[in-house]
Amino acid sequence: MQDESLLAHLMHNWHEVAKKDQQRILRQAKPLGALTQTDYSYISKAGPLQKLNLYFPRSFDTEKLPTIIDIHGGGWMYGDCHLNDNYCRFLAFQGYAVMAMSYRLLPQIGLREMIQDIFASLHWLESFGSQKGLDLTRVFLVGDSAGAHLAGLTLCIQKSLRLQNIYGVEALKFNFDALAIICGVMEPRKLALGNGIMSQAANLQLKLMIGKNPEISNAIDFSQVCRNIHLPPIMIIGGEEDSFWWQTKLLLEILKQNKFEFHTKLWLHSQGPHLTHVFNVSHWEWSESQETNLAMLDFFQKNSVSKQKN
């Protein structure tokens, strides 16, 4: 299949996903107890995909709250800062400030520009978050699917001057205490090993990611960028019903090989066929999702407490 027709097929697939997501979100009840501040532009002359949302518990007063940064998934081609709205509301209700950003997408831009948008949103938070009640001494990073890949890259780039130069970003003045990876698609270069439209289009997606920036070609997979970097604790969330379970297994091997500290919340086939890709983000209301998300928050809390003790 030629690149043009393959790209059209891929974009049609994400258009269908978007319709299903919209139908699901309309049916879902919203979590109670959260306040939202939406569509802040994080750069001057921002485009429609250069905005962010903030979420707070309804009982929020003057005390600064621990902060969760959520990076949405969508195959690097789909989604915005509203996609995980209900999930972010649920996290906020548990006593966190949550920031979710949009970022520009393939095929309009490449991976380097995507990362630059994410860092621009984080620099906005660096400038304005504290006055809005976010505690930037307690910051946690989470991403799902392709958003997990972007979160993993963000964490490594923050720790590496070499990677900052490759991606053309400046380090943040705050750091991340922990990272949660949800059904992560962390190895784009290995996508051709799987099944489905994203695997069929793996070479095209890689070409689009690199775009006009060949210098990033050896700094795309998480396994490429995490070497020789000291990372904070990582939590891996996934399950055997996930169509990208094979990517989660790859990631677990990478973490073991690099001797990173990591924890897991993994669901078996026997625990339910409905526990598919990013189920705990798209279906916040399920009991399994709430169990998973509360386990993630417990992981964040323990790492925040241990940091304060040290």
Side-chain angles (χ1 to χ4, degrees):
M1 189 180 294
Q2 295 296 318
D3 281 358
E4 293 81 3
S5 58
L6 186 56
L7 178 59
H9 183 39
L10 194 59
M11 294 184 73
H12 174 75
N13 176 74
W14 285 114
H15 179 71
E16 293 302 307
V17 170
K19 287 198 296 187
K20 290 178 181 177
D21 277 343
Q22 290 164 10
Q23 292 167 1
R24 168 181 56 79
I25 291 168
L26 285 174
R27 291 194 303 266
Q28 280 180 327
K30 288 190 177 297
L32 300 176
L35 298 172
T36 62
Q37 298 175 9
T38 62
D39 293 317
Y40 285 104
S41 296
Y42 55 76
I43 60 169
S44 61
K45 299 181 181 179
L49 289 178
Q50 291 171 309
K51 298 187 177 181
L52 60 84
N53 295 342
L54 299 177
Y55 301 82
F56 303 93
R58 189 170 292 279
S59 57
F60 176 52
D61 52 26
T62 57
E63 181 184 357
K64 289 184 180 179
L65 296 170
T67 301
I68 296 173
I69 310 296
D70 177 61
I71 304 181
H72 72 81
W76 308 280
M77 296 189 75
Y78 158 67
D80 60 25
C81 59
H82 300 285
L83 179 60
N84 294 348
D85 186 70
N86 287 337
Y87 167 72
C88 291
R89 287 171 183 265
F90 176 81
L91 299 180
F93 178 58
Q94 310 307 314
Y96 288 80
V98 182
M99 188 267 263
M101 87 289 289
S102 301
Y103 49 87
R104 289 171 296 163
L105 301 163
L106 304 179
Q108 281 72 31
I109 50 86
L111 181 62
R112 189 172 188 264
E113 293 83 2
M114 224 175 281
I115 289 292
Q116 289 174 351
D117 279 358
I118 290 168
F119 267 83
S121 74
L122 296 172
H123 282 298
W124 182 95
L125 194 69
E126 185 177 79
S127 298
F128 301 106
S130 182
Q131 70 191 49
K132 293 182 177 297
L134 287 78
D135 184 352
L136 299 184
T137 69
R138 294 180 290 167
V139 183
F140 310 99
L141 186 59
V142 59
D144 63 279
S145 193
H149 168 252
L150 295 170
L153 282 186
T154 298
L155 185 66
C156 294
I157 292 167
Q158 170 65 8
K159 294 279 189 175
S160 168
L161 180 59
R162 180 184 72 87
L163 293 173
Q164 290 159 27
N165 289 334
I166 288 173
Y167 277 92
V169 298
E170 292 184 6
L172 306 161
K173 293 185 175 68
F174 64 85
N175 282 301
F176 303 105
D177 291 354
L179 166 67
I181 290 173
I182 300 171
C183 301
V185 183
M186 308 298 287
E187 303 288 300
R189 287 184 166 278
K190 300 181 180 70
L191 270 174
L193 300 175
N195 300 310
I197 178 60
M198 284 181 65
S199 293
Q200 295 169 26
N203 291 333
L204 172 60
Q205 285 182 302
L206 191 59
K207 187 188 300 184
L208 293 172
M209 281 185 175
I210 294 171
K212 298 177 181 178
N213 303 292
E215 67 274 19
I216 75 165
S217 58
N218 293 319
I220 292 176
D221 284 1
F222 182 74
S223 60
Q224 293 175 307
V225 299
C226 72
R227 297 171 189 158
N228 303 314
I229 296 179
H230 177 71
L231 296 181
I234 299 170
M235 183 173 189
I236 308 302
I237 295 169
E240 292 179 334
E241 288 292 331
D242 176 17
S243 55
F244 288 101
W245 171 240
W246 64 278
Q247 282 261 344
T248 295
K249 291 193 291 183
L250 276 177
L251 175 60
L252 292 172
E253 288 303 314
I254 292 163
L255 297 177
K256 290 174 187 175
Q257 290 167 8
N258 287 275
K259 298 182 179 179
F260 293 131
E261 178 186 347
F262 69 94
H263 305 261
T264 62
K265 179 67 174 177
L266 305 175
W267 292 84
L268 305 176
H269 288 299
S270 59
Q271 292 175 291
H274 59 301
L275 304 180
T276 56
H277 192 56
V278 302
F279 74 89
N280 62 302
V281 176
S282 57
H283 287 281
W284 74 273
E285 73 278 17
W286 291 351
S287 60
E288 298 92 342
S289 300
Q290 296 193 18
E291 179 183 333
T292 302
N293 294 330
L294 291 174
M296 181 185 76
L297 296 180
D298 183 61
F299 167 73
F300 286 162
Q301 174 66 19
K302 286 177 178 176
N303 282 288
S304 178
V305 167
S306 64
K307 180 182 176 184
Q308 289 170 9
K309 287 181 178 177
N310 292 335

